[in-house]
Amino acid sequence: MSLRLKIVSPEKVEFEGEVESVLVPGTLGSFEILKDHAPIISSLEKGKVEYSVHGDKTELWILGGFVEVKKNEVSLCVEVKEEEE
């Protein structure tokens, strides 16, 4: 693995580490980011961010935000959806 992911919300750093893939809810539909993805900056819609670490998938529901990809570093600045009781 050599894809580095950092997910930041206004409250805290939600996740930081090496991942195999990241699936994000882009404005024009979901798209997956893998190693050696082309540089991109995109806005994100309300939906699910999913990332995979050693085959284990983790889901994070967001209300929106932005993603930037460059040189195998993925940065997400998102507003996390609060858990509904």
Side-chain angles (χ1 to χ4, degrees), residues 20-36:
E20 289 146 12
S21 65
V22 186
L23 184 69
V24 294
T27 307
L28 299 175
S30 292
F31 63 94
E32 188 171 31
I33 300 160
L34 301 170
K35 184 176 176 276
D36 297 328

Side-chain angles (χ1 to χ4, degrees), residues 13-65:
V13 175
E14 301 286 337
F15 176 84
E16 187 170 10
E18 298 280 321
V19 299
E20 289 146 12
S21 65
V22 186
L23 184 69
V24 294
T27 307
L28 299 175
S30 292
F31 63 94
E32 188 171 31
I33 300 160
L34 301 170
K35 184 176 176 276
D36 297 328
H37 194 286
I40 186 174
I41 295 176
S42 177
S43 56
L44 300 176
E45 295 288 305
K46 180 178 179 181
K48 175 175 68 171
V49 171
E50 189 174 278
Y51 53 94
S52 180
V53 181
H54 300 297
D56 294 328
K57 290 192 188 296
T58 302
E59 295 180 353
L60 180 68
W61 291 90
I62 65 167
L63 298 174

